[in-house]
């Protein structure tokens, strides 16, 4: 049978981008439209900067939720000012990517509970209505919408929760008659491929985004390989998505809405040496991305900006009466030699998506997994409310089945524009540590899908005799690690007994654990973390049911320190525990399954992104002190455990 090939590039792109040749190199302004327009008017730069694609923010914050579920402008004069600025930017030739800051919106009907914060709406009809409002006011003024930003970091909800939110936005934006002018993109992924990405695709994200969108940071040598890795991970995952049409293909455009250099701190940013490093980084990254040809690549960030970790990332500098473009910015946006059309990702086609959407609201006490890929179970099952939405114009009768309804299926009638709430619960079979809870909603020849991961911490563990955490001889492994290939801006390490450490950091081993003292941070600003690394005498496989655990605190009780816990593989890649945790003067415990570590930036790029395919060679602790130095962090009773 001849394969059906859906060549959808023109439909996916739309607007000014549809006719472009080659990658459009632009910049994330990280500003609202009026501020971005004013900065560009004051910018002393070449014409290429004045017409480059731009990413703008805060359009979704111009409206206030009403009791009837609709949204109204908060300030009519401010809305008019924003529209005027958008019109000016478009008239100058800027293609505009609008970030819908859904993590900052004030929802009228309540915000769902999350582990860290409350940011997402309890009722997704609010988000759908907001999308319809944004189309009404801005559809002709922007090229693309991003529904949120870096959901693994800023939304604090699970992958399936974000997928449901994207679906609600998708259907709300298409609610009005006719085809929208602007396109709707998924939120850009912050991290390299991992369990969060798997959760998104398992929850039908690809049927509701008009492009693949992610961010790239790290060492310049790894930008191209990291891009390739994203697409290598996407293809097989898409082939296993629940709504895939076997034997088909479609073109999925690729977007990079942040490509950023984190190699300057706020103190060094004014030096010519630091700006030269920034320019070399963007030149190398641009060259590698031009060969790969995404539709768009936006440098982070236009305005002068110091990150919470003290890194200056801005691409302009202040001058008397305005701003000056840096050489890094000019290098990035200048027209290159290649004018070949963008190269999309090739993924399977999917069955048509219908307007029914499922979302799960957990009830009672619950705990999300730290990587936002599911839930950790306690003594009992996971329970809560399954919300079923109908974003279509007619009532829908559907058949609901799955793990929340074991051994049964039921018919549900969802009115047009309605929300049906069902109490549900799911558990793992006795003796199982992990699994998946999935639901299917079948109707009118279509199907909606929802799934999450479940993990139960073992009630009883037994300590494994892992020699790496003792006085075992690791000389051969230590010398191997010192000789491995490194990126230009990787920090230098020196041997300290069995350990390797960056300058200004010492490790003392004892029977109790590891006492790490940071007196100063490394000189190379790209790695403004104190790093200690313990080479393992032999490789460690992340076996199912195995956990890394230790107790930790800051000695003296007067400081706080962020700790990134990583394993390094043989190709130099880092697999870390997301997110970093903060230790202070009160002792606390770290415990994570080895299988839940995922690839991080500022390591090299792994040949295979899947953690279960890795062999760990070193344990890496990257420390970010908040407060005065010196600071001493105690890691007590480090161990590998597994379920009995």
């Amino acid at each position: 049978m001849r394969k059906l090939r859906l060549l959808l590039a023109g439909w996916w792109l739309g607007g000014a981008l549809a006719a472009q040749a080659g990658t459009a190199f632009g910049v994330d302004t990280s500003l609202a439209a009026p501020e971005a327009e004013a900065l560009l008017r004051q910018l002393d730069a070449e014409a290429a900067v004045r017409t480059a694609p731009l990413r703008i923010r805060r359009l979704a914050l111009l409206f206030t939720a009403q009791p009837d579920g609709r949204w109204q402008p908060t300030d009519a004069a401010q809305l008019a000012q924003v529209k005027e600025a958008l019109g000016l930017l478009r008239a100058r030739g800027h293609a505009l990517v609008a970030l819908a800051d859904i993590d900052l919106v004030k929802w009228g009907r309540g915000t769902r509970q999350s582990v860290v914060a409350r940011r997402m709406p309890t009722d997704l009809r609010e988000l759908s209505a907001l999308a319809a409002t944004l189309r009404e006011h801005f559809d002709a003024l922007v090229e693309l919408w991003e529904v949120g930003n870096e959901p693994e970091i800023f939304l604090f909800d699970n992958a399936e929760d974000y997928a449901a939110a994207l679906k609600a936005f998708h259907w709300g934006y298409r609610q009005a008659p006719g085809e929208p002018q602007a396109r709707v993109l998924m939120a850009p992924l912050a991290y390299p491929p991992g369990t969060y990405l798997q959760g998104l695709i398992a929850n039908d994200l690809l049927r509701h985004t008009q492009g693949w969108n992610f961010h790239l940071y790290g060492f310049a040598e790894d930008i191209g390989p990291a891009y390739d890795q994203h697409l290598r991970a996407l293809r097989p995952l898409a082939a296993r998505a629940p709504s895939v049409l076997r034997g088909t293909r479609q073109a999925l455009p690729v977007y990079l809405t942040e490509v950023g250099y984190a190699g300057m701190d706020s103190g060094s940013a004014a030096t010519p040496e630091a700006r030269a490093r920034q320019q070399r980084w963007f030149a190398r990254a641009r060259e590698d991305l031009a060969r790969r040809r995404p539709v768009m690549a936006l440098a982070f960030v236009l305005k002068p900006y110091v990150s919470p970790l003290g890194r200056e990332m801005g691409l302009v500098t202040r001058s008397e009466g305005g701003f000056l473009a840096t050489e890094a910015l000019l290098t990035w946006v200048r027209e290159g030699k290649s004018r070949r059309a963008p190269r999309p990702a090739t993924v399977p086609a999917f069955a048509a998506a219908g307007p029914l959407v499922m979302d799960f609201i957990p009830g009672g006490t619950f705990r999300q997994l730290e990587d936002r890929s599911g839930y950790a179970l306690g003594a009992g099952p996971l329970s809560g409310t399954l919300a079923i939405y109908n974003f279509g114009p007619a009532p829908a009768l559907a058949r609901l089945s799955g793990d929340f309804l074991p051994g049964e299926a039921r018919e549900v009638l969802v009115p047009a524009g309605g929300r049906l709430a069902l109490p549900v619960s799911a558990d793992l079979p006795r003796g199982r540590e992990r699994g998946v809870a999935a639901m299917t909603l079948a109707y009118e020849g279509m199907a909606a899908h929802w799934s999450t991961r479940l993990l139960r911490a073992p009630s009883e563990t037994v300590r494994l005799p892992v020699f790496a955490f003792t006085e075992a001889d690791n000389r051969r492994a230590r010398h191997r690690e010192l000789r491995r290939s490194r990126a230009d801006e990787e920090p230098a390490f020196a041997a300290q007994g069995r350990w390797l450490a960056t300058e200004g950091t010492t490790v003392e081993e004892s029977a109790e654990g590891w006492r790490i003292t940071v007196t100063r941070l490394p000189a190379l600003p790209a790695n403004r973390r104190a790093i200690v690394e313990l080479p393992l005498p032999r490789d460690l496989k992340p076996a199912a049911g195995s956990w890394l655990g230790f107790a930790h605190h800051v000695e003296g009780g007067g400081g706080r320190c962020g700790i990134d816990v990583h394993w390094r593989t043989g190709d130099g890649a880092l697999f870390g525990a997301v997110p970093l945790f903060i230790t202070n003067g009160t002792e606390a415990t770290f415990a994570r399954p080895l299988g839940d570590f995922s690839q991080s930036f500022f390591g090299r790029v792994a040949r295979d992104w899947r953690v279960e395919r890795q062999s760990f060679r070193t344990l890496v602790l990257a420390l970010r002190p908040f407060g005065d130095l010196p600071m001493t962090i105690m890691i007590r009773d480090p161990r590998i455990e597994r379920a009995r």
Side-chain angles (χ1 to χ4, degrees):
M1 179 178 177
R2 178 177 298 177
K3 290 184 178 180
L4 175 64
R5 297 186 180 276
L6 304 177
L7 303 177
L8 301 176
W11 180 81
W12 285 110
L13 300 181
L17 295 176
Q20 80 177 43
T23 297
F25 288 92
V27 62
D28 176 10
T29 68
S30 199
L31 295 168
E35 288 78 13
E37 192 276 330
L39 190 155
L40 286 162
R41 265 192 289 110
Q42 301 173 63
L43 181 61
D44 182 8
E46 298 176 1
V49 178
R50 297 185 177 278
T51 58
L54 302 175
R55 187 188 195 207
I56 57 169
R57 307 193 180 204
R58 306 188 75 79
L59 295 184
L61 307 184
L62 297 169
F63 304 92
T64 300
Q66 304 299 305
D68 62 1
R70 293 185 293 179
W71 295 78
Q72 294 295 332
T74 305
D75 184 323
Q78 183 185 26
L79 177 61
Q81 181 188 25
V82 169
K83 288 184 176 180
E84 180 184 11
L86 292 172
L88 290 171
L89 293 170
R90 291 273 293 193
R92 293 176 194 154
H94 295 288
L96 300 179
V97 178
L99 170 59
D101 307 87
I102 61 174
D103 57 309
L104 302 178
V105 170
K106 294 182 179 179
W107 307 104
R109 296 179 179 174
T111 306
R112 64 185 295 151
Q113 183 181 356
S114 184
V115 170
V116 181
R118 294 173 178 264
R119 297 196 171 188
M120 297 288 280
T122 301
D123 190 333
L124 291 181
R125 290 175 296 182
E126 280 202 281
L127 179 54
S128 181
L130 178 60
T133 301
L134 293 175
R135 176 178 174 179
E136 175 188 349
H137 287 276
F138 302 117
D139 190 52
L141 294 172
V142 302
E143 297 278 351
L144 301 163
W145 285 100
E146 289 181 296
V147 186
N149 184 49
E150 298 186 340
E152 316 100 296
I153 297 176
F154 293 112
L155 295 183
F156 302 118
D157 290 283
N158 286 344
E160 66 272 12
D161 304 328
Y162 174 74
L166 176 65
K167 295 169 191 177
F169 191 101
H170 167 96
W171 288 110
Y173 205 79
R174 302 182 68 83
Q175 189 177 61
E179 191 67 27
Q181 295 184 49
R183 302 302 170 193
V184 173
L185 290 182
M186 59 186 277
L189 298 177
Y191 294 123
T195 51
Y196 193 89
L197 167 60
Q198 291 175 292
L200 291 177
I201 294 180
N203 279 275
D204 268 347
L205 174 127
L206 289 175
R207 291 202 290 178
H208 299 85
T209 179
Q210 292 175 280
W212 190 247
N213 190 13
F214 57 97
H215 289 169
L216 289 176
Y217 289 85
F219 301 120
E221 300 94 321
D222 293 329
I223 293 299
Y227 180 97
D228 296 340
Q229 186 190 65
H230 257 279
L231 299 195
R232 284 199 310 272
L234 172 62
R235 294 183 189 109
L237 289 175
R240 297 194 296 272
S243 301
V244 67
L245 295 174
R246 302 296 174 188
T248 63
R249 295 289 184 271
Q250 68 174 345
L252 188 63
V254 181
Y255 298 85
L256 304 171
T257 52
E258 287 184 24
V259 181
Y261 175 64
M264 298 186 299
D265 61 19
S266 55
S268 68
T271 66
E273 294 80 10
R275 290 295 177 180
R277 285 200 314 272
Q278 184 190 43
Q279 189 276 334
R280 288 194 300 270
W281 190 96
F282 276 103
R284 172 67 183 269
R286 190 195 194 286
E287 178 183 355
D288 286 353
L289 292 175
R291 288 199 297 269
R292 288 160 173 84
R293 308 202 307 272
V295 174
M296 179 183 288
L298 304 183
F300 186 85
V301 57
L302 181 65
K303 67 176 184 178
Y305 170 73
V306 178
S307 77
L309 297 176
R311 292 167 177 158
E312 171 59 68
M313 304 185 75
L315 289 163
V316 301
T317 58
R318 298 184 187 277
S319 66
E320 193 172 332
F323 298 90
L324 295 174
T326 62
E327 282 300 315
L329 177 59
L330 297 177
T331 297
W332 183 257
V333 300
R334 282 173 182 152
E335 184 176 340
K337 295 180 180 179
S338 173
R339 300 296 293 166
R340 293 181 294 170
R343 179 194 298 155
T346 301
V347 298
F350 300 95
L356 296 193
V357 173
M358 287 183 285
D359 187 28
F360 174 68
I361 311 294
T365 59
F366 68 94
R367 185 166 69 85
Q368 291 168 272
L369 298 179
E370 286 85 348
D371 61 3
R372 312 287 183 247
S373 67
Y375 294 93
L377 297 181
L382 174 67
S383 61
T385 300
L386 185 69
I388 302 175
Y389 298 89
N390 182 358
F391 294 112
L397 181 64
R399 183 175 177 81
L400 178 67
S401 61
D403 297 299
F404 277 148
L405 301 169
E408 63 174 300
R410 70 174 69 170
E411 287 191 336
V412 293
L413 178 63
V414 193
R419 179 182 189 266
L420 187 65
L422 301 175
V424 293
S425 65
D427 205 347
L428 289 171
R430 185 176 180 85
R432 287 274 301 278
E433 289 182 4
R434 60 182 62 219
V436 173
M439 298 295 292
T440 299
L441 197 60
Y443 60 104
E444 299 177 9
M446 297 177 287
H449 303 277
W450 177 93
S451 68
T452 192
R453 294 173 69 217
L454 302 179
L455 176 69
R456 171 165 284 128
S459 57
E460 190 174 2
T461 62
V462 58
R463 184 158 310 190
L464 295 178
V466 179
F467 43 73
F469 295 162
T470 70
E471 292 296 327
D473 185 358
N474 68 352
R475 281 177 295 180
R476 181 176 297 179
R478 192 168 66 247
H479 294 157
R480 178 189 61 197
E481 181 59 27
L482 286 170
R483 293 193 303 268
R484 73 169 174 83
S485 175
R486 298 177 185 272
D488 284 346
E489 293 197 13
E490 276 195 84
F493 287 83
Q496 291 187 22
R498 297 192 315 129
W499 290 77
L500 306 175
T502 53
E503 60 177 308
T505 302
T506 58
V507 184
E508 301 172 54
E509 284 195 287
S510 69
E512 185 181 11
W514 310 321
R515 190 170 183 266
I516 306 168
T517 300
V518 182
T519 56
R520 66 181 184 279
L521 297 177
L524 192 60
N527 301 280
R528 295 291 284 175
R529 300 177 297 173
I531 303 175
V532 294
E533 189 160 356
L534 179 63
L536 311 181
R538 66 171 181 262
D539 291 357
L540 175 66
K541 294 284 188 180
S546 297
W547 295 60
L548 169 67
F550 54 81
H552 55 85
H553 69 274
V554 175
E555 290 190 354
R560 298 167 62 245
C561 183
I563 303 181
D564 285 305
V565 182
H566 301 280
W567 299 99
R568 194 185 297 278
T569 64
D571 44 22
L574 293 176
F575 280 73
V578 177
L580 100 165
F581 67 91
I582 307 296
T583 188
N584 54 34
T586 302
E587 184 168 276
T589 299
F590 172 91
R592 287 291 292 274
L594 297 188
D596 282 4
F597 284 71
S598 56
Q599 196 177 175
S600 312
F601 290 127
F602 297 106
R604 310 311 303 270
V605 176
R607 296 179 182 88
D608 193 312
W609 62 274
R610 291 165 290 192
V611 66
E612 64 269 19
R613 303 288 184 90
Q614 306 305 316
S615 293
F616 297 149
R617 287 194 168 180
T618 72
L619 175 66
V620 181
L621 302 178
L623 311 176
R624 307 182 186 199
F626 302 110
D628 295 334
L629 299 180
M631 181 180 293
T632 297
I633 298 92
M634 185 66 198
I635 304 296
R636 192 178 60 77
D637 192 24
R639 61 202 180 273
I640 299 289
E641 296 178 327
R642 70 178 176 202
R644 184 179 292 275

